[in-house]
Amino acid sequence: MNEPSRADDDISGIGADPVAFEVFYRRHLEAVGRFVARRVDDPHLAADLTADVFLAVIESAAGYRPERGSQIGWLYGVARNVIGDERRRAAQRLRVTGRLAGRRDLGPDDIARIEERIDAESAARRTHRALSELPEGTRTLVELVAVDGLSVAEAATVLGMSPVAARVRLHRARRIVRAVLARPVTTLA
């Protein structure tokens, strides 16, 4: 994941500048795809959510402030919100209709590529299951640092907490996650 130079920090215009958006998109597509694949196991949904993240980026780029954190940290925050929104919508659809519908068709190559990505991220999904033992805010902090590669300071910024508080929570959470991951796999299912 290539972080831009300081000259490229201002991405506020990517919503109106197709060339700037394309550069941003190409720079971050793989990282966003991996972020999404660590959280969902359906290739259709992963493709849709990745696209939705970049649509949300277009709409919210004017709100990005480089002094508050890196582009990738901001982008992961947007992705986290998009995934959370989708999970809430899916739960609502399940309550109302009892099934999911309305997926777009993907070609065999698209499905194979996304399934490979999902398979490659299976260990990360086990980690996410282990993280379910943590309170939501602490779990998100651990995900942003340990799984998504943000610094503790960047993750603290994404979550609106001080870096010191983030370090303390992270230390406690790592101890809990290590204990859970040490359990046999059958107890996590």
Side-chain angles (χ1 to χ4, degrees):
M1 129 178 73
N2 295 331
E3 200 53 31
S5 69
R6 296 306 290 173
D8 293 334
D9 276 352
D10 184 14
I11 61 168
S12 62
I14 65 175
D17 182 354
V19 173
F21 175 74
E22 182 178 1
V23 169
F24 181 85
Y25 175 82
R26 289 182 187 277
R27 180 183 298 137
H28 297 295
L29 176 61
E30 187 63 27
V32 171
R34 286 190 316 267
F35 184 94
V36 172
R38 283 189 288 271
R39 287 156 176 81
V40 300
D41 58 3
D42 179 285
H44 295 278
L45 182 58
D48 289 345
L49 288 174
T50 299
D52 288 347
V53 167
F54 285 101
L55 289 173
V57 162
I58 289 171
E59 294 173 357
S60 62
Y64 171 71
R65 300 291 177 260
E67 66 275 5
R68 294 189 63 207
S70 67
Q71 286 181 11
I72 197 69
W74 173 76
L75 188 56
Y76 283 170
V78 171
R80 184 173 166 266
N81 290 336
V82 167
I83 292 167
D85 289 346
E86 174 55 29
R87 287 186 174 149
R88 285 186 289 280
R89 283 191 302 270
Q92 179 64 23
R93 284 191 303 265
L94 284 172
R95 284 191 297 273
V96 172
T97 65
R99 62 182 183 86
L100 294 174
R103 294 190 176 159
R104 66 179 177 88
D105 290 335
L106 293 174
D109 291 340
D110 295 327
I111 291 175
R113 181 178 43 80
I114 295 170
E115 285 175 338
E116 287 173 10
R117 182 179 287 154
I118 288 169
D119 288 345
E121 299 297 344
S122 64
R125 283 194 305 280
R126 181 170 184 251
T127 301
H128 279 277
R129 284 192 298 272
L131 292 171
S132 69
E133 305 247 342
L134 300 173
E136 184 179 347
T138 303
R139 180 176 57 244
T140 301
L141 172 65
V142 172
E143 290 173 1
L144 290 170
V145 173
V147 179
D148 299 316
L150 294 183
S151 69
V152 175
E154 288 172 325
T157 300
V158 168
L159 298 174
M161 66 175 59
S162 76
V164 172
R167 281 187 200 92
V168 170
R169 282 190 189 179
L170 191 59
H171 174 73
R172 291 177 183 155
R174 283 179 174 154
R175 200 172 48 225
I176 292 168
V177 169
R178 275 193 295 270
V180 171
L181 288 175
R183 295 179 197 162
V185 174
T186 56
T187 63
L188 292 175

